[in-house]
């Protein structure tokens, strides 16, 4: 022995069972495929860079890069700047949440930004054995990507060397990303005259995400995300809804007050999604992007849930969705070939591009009736009202075919249908063709609803 101790296999095993682990990896696969080659911009404050989760953030960014995600990281340094000001005996000055940067403060800004950047680069450059970054090498690049202008005088306050983004040199950032580099951006900008300006991290991240046409802009913040009146996490919100909440001051923390306007502007200017994730949540990036439920709030221009009619390309996803419910007897088994033949009968619901629910309509036109069948929603979204949305869509399809009643056979969810206006009937009241196929061994309850 060389004197070093090696952790036992039992000590390093994950707490999940092998079946749970395999299910999680398979469940993450669609997201891995969807995100490969896409650009994510991640903005985080100086408290994150210097905090207890900085190491974990580096590990997770390394994994995202290894999965083929193009990463742009924008770091802040507000607490580091305040500490440098205090070290020099200077008082920080703010107006409307924005730092007033005079010449002395600018020297503190440059010093704090430089140290913070070096520390972040060091975290991203690790490769020790027995760590998640073992054997990896992340090429970290940066440059003069930002042209800035002064904020100027606002409400009688001269912001001096506090600036705003004038232009992002997106082609240079994309050139670095094309070479599989991770781009690290410090929120400093220069003017054409060579002046240096202090910029806010959140506005730089917003501007970069818009300029490079990012798939996602992520802010690591001091809250789980947006909360409703009962302090429950809001999974997703449209830009219009987020703007209403911001104007009303609902559930805003110090970070959300700064980041939410940037999120709203970003999605309205072409960024597909903005994610607000708790910076204290270990593995928050992985949980948000590679699990169905996620852990933060997603801001989008349009609702994330989308109902549409199924196509043959959805068959594999439908099989994966309904197989667990077929296995436990909730749904009648349907083979893949049958699904392919009947795919035009299905309506599906997607969440952020992933199929999470379905329902089918089988008309019996001679008797002006139709069967609602194969209504299924993944467990993570059963409280999101997707069953009701699918039911309404099926009812609309039935009415469009001039059908007068809808019936359903169920063994497990009788109460759900009763609560939505269905009444129980006997199998003898089914349309003749369906009645002849009724399985008396399964003993499904039959419910009907007038359209």
């Amino acid at each position: 022995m060389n004197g070093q101790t090696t952790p036992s296999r039992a000590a390093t095993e994950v707490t999940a069972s092998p079946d749970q682990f395999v299910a999680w990896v398979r469940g993450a696969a669609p997201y891995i495929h969807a995100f490969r080659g896409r650009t994510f911009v991640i903005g985080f404050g100086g408290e994150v860079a210097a905090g207890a989760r900085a190491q974990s953030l580096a590990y997770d960014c390394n994994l995202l890069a290894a999965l083929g995600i193009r990463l742009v990281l924008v770091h802040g340094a507000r607490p580091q700047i305040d500490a440098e000001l205090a070290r020099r005996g200077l008082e920080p000055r703010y107006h409307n949440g924005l730092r007033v940067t005079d010449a002395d403060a600018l020297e503190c800004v440059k010093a704090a930004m430089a140290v913070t950047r070096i520390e972040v680069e060091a975290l991203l450059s690790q490769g020790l054995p027995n760590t998640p970054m073992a054997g990896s090498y992340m090429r970290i690049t940066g440059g003069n990507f930002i042209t800035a202008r002064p904020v100027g005088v606002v409400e009688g306050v001269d912001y001096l060397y506090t600036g705003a983004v004038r232009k992002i040199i997106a082609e240079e950032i994309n050139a670095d990303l094309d070479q599989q580099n991770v781009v690290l951006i410090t929120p400093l900008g220069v003017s054409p005259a060579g002046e240096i300006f202090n910029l806010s991290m959140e506005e730089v991240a917003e501007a970069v995400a818009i300029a490079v046409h990012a798939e996602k802009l992520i802010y690591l913040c001091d809250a789980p995300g947006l909360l409703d009146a009962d302090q429950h996490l809001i999974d997703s919100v449209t830009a219009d809804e987020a703007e209403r909440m911001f104007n009303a001051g609902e559930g805003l923390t110090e970070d959300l007050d700064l980041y939410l306007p940037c999120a709203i502007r970003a999605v309205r200017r072409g960024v597909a999604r903005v994610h607000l994730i708790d910076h204290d949540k270990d593995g928050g990036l992985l949980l948000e992007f590679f699990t169905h439920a996620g852990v933060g709030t997603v801001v989008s221009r349009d609702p994330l849930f989308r109902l549409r009619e199924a196509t043959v390309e959805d068959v594999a996803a439908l099989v994966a969705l309904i197989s667990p419910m077929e296995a436990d007897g909730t749904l009648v088994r349907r083979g893949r070939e049958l699904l392919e033949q009947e795919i035009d009968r299905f309506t599906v619901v997607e969440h952020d591009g992933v199929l999470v629910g379905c329902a089918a309509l089988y008309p019996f036109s001679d008797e002006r009736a139709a069967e609602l069948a194969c209504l299924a929603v993944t467990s993570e979204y059963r409280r999101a009202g997707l069953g009701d949305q699918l039911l309404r869509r099926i009812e609309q399809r039935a009415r469009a075919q001039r059908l007068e009643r809808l019936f359903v056979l169920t063994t497990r969810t009788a109460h759900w249908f009763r609560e939505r206006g269905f009444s129980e009937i006997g199998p003898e009241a089914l349309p003749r063709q369906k009645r002849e196929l009724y399985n008396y061994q399964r003993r499904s309850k039959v419910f009907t609803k007038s359209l």
Side-chain angles (χ1 to χ4, degrees):
M1 297 292 287
N2 60 8
Q4 293 178 333
T5 58
T6 303
S8 68
R9 178 179 176 87
T12 57
E13 284 182 346
V14 293
T15 56
S17 70
D19 288 345
Q20 289 173 320
F21 175 76
V22 170
W24 181 87
V25 173
R26 288 172 176 166
Y31 301 101
I32 294 171
H33 298 319
F35 297 152
R36 183 179 295 115
R38 302 301 179 93
T39 300
F40 288 13
V41 177
I42 304 175
F44 55 95
E47 66 280 0
V48 177
R53 296 294 184 196
Q55 184 80 74
S56 298
L57 175 62
Y59 291 159
D60 294 348
C61 288
N62 178 269
L63 179 56
L64 294 178
L67 292 173
I69 294 170
R70 295 152 56 98
L71 285 184
V72 181
L73 309 180
V74 184
H75 74 85
R78 179 175 286 201
Q80 290 88 338
I81 295 169
D82 286 343
E84 183 66 17
L85 286 165
R87 190 180 71 81
R88 302 188 188 195
L90 302 172
E91 289 290 329
R93 293 175 57 204
Y94 293 92
H95 181 70
N96 290 335
L98 191 61
R99 186 186 300 277
V100 178
T101 311
D102 59 19
D104 290 334
L106 182 61
E107 293 305 310
C108 298
V109 167
K110 291 190 288 185
M113 290 286 192
V115 171
T116 303
R117 180 186 179 89
I118 292 170
E119 291 176 344
V120 172
E121 283 190 1
L123 285 169
L124 296 170
S125 301
Q126 300 171 84
L128 290 175
N130 300 321
T131 73
M133 295 175 72
S136 70
Y137 175 68
M138 295 175 70
R139 293 189 298 272
I140 312 300
T141 64
N144 55 336
F145 301 132
I146 306 171
T147 302
R149 60 174 177 81
V151 169
V153 179
V154 180
E155 297 176 352
V157 175
D158 189 347
Y159 282 91
L160 299 167
Y161 292 102
T162 298
V165 175
R166 175 179 288 176
K167 183 181 179 182
I168 300 294
I169 315 301
E171 56 269 26
E172 295 298 328
I173 297 175
N174 282 320
D176 275 1
L177 294 173
D178 289 342
Q179 297 178 49
Q180 298 182 337
N181 297 323
V182 173
V183 177
L184 177 61
I185 295 180
T186 297
L188 292 172
V190 296
S191 73
E195 294 177 296
I196 299 173
F197 289 100
N198 175 31
L199 310 176
S200 70
M201 176 278 294
E202 57 272 13
E203 291 188 5
V204 170
E206 172 202 341
V208 169
I210 293 168
V212 302
H213 307 292
E215 176 74 14
K216 295 183 183 295
L217 167 59
I218 302 103
Y219 287 117
L220 303 182
C221 58
D222 61 357
L226 292 173
L227 305 179
D228 63 19
D230 297 321
Q231 299 301 296
H232 295 143
L233 179 67
I234 300 173
D235 294 330
S236 61
V237 65
T238 65
D240 290 344
E241 292 166 342
E243 186 174 45
R244 181 194 60 76
M245 293 183 67
F246 178 79
N247 291 336
E250 296 178 8
L252 298 181
T253 62
E254 181 180 2
D255 281 355
L256 291 176
D257 191 52
L258 296 173
Y259 301 167
L260 193 55
C262 297
I264 294 167
R265 290 192 298 266
V267 297
R268 286 176 173 168
R269 296 184 61 187
V271 177
R273 304 281 187 269
V274 179
H275 298 254
L276 304 170
I277 303 174
D278 188 349
H279 58 52
D280 288 330
K281 181 70 174 179
D282 188 23
L285 291 173
L286 306 183
L287 292 167
E288 178 70 358
F289 299 133
F290 300 113
T291 65
H292 284 312
V295 293
T297 296
V298 184
V299 183
S300 61
R301 189 181 66 178
D302 302 310
L304 286 188
F305 290 109
R306 183 168 77 96
L307 265 72
R308 61 174 176 80
E309 308 317 319
T311 67
V312 70
E313 286 78 16
D314 297 312
V315 170
L318 276 172
V319 170
L321 172 66
I322 66 178
S323 291
M325 284 169 268
E326 291 177 342
D328 69 13
T330 302
L331 296 178
V332 175
R333 290 188 179 275
R334 287 173 172 80
R336 186 186 182 100
E337 290 186 5
L338 182 61
L339 283 173
E340 290 177 353
Q341 295 169 9
E342 299 181 343
I343 194 65
D344 60 330
R345 301 185 186 277
F346 280 79
T347 294
V348 296
V349 59
E350 294 176 323
H351 178 266
D352 208 10
V354 176
L355 196 149
V356 296
C358 67
L361 179 72
Y362 291 84
F364 296 84
S365 300
D366 291 345
E367 301 188 46
R368 319 283 297 177
E371 180 185 8
L372 163 63
C374 203
L375 177 59
V377 176
T378 58
S379 58
E380 295 90 345
Y381 295 104
R382 285 177 187 162
R383 296 185 179 182
L386 300 186
D388 291 294
Q389 293 183 42
L390 286 163
L391 173 59
R392 286 194 294 270
R393 176 62 72 92
I394 291 296
E395 289 177 351
Q396 290 169 3
R397 291 182 63 182
R399 291 190 186 100
Q401 297 179 39
R402 300 184 181 280
L403 303 175
E404 296 177 353
R405 66 186 180 104
L406 196 65
F407 66 87
V408 62
L409 280 68
T410 181
T411 58
R412 305 285 182 88
T413 55
H415 65 285
W416 192 89
F417 289 103
R418 285 195 184 99
E419 291 168 0
R420 284 150 183 83
F422 283 79
S423 302
E424 187 171 0
I425 58 175
E428 67 280 356
L430 289 169
R432 179 184 57 78
Q433 187 177 354
K434 184 66 180 180
R435 187 170 62 246
E436 292 173 353
L437 298 174
Y438 181 80
N439 186 338
Y440 283 91
Q441 290 184 327
R442 184 173 170 82
R443 297 181 63 187
S444 299
K445 292 182 179 294
V446 183
F447 290 85
T448 187
K449 182 180 181 179
S450 173
L451 297 175

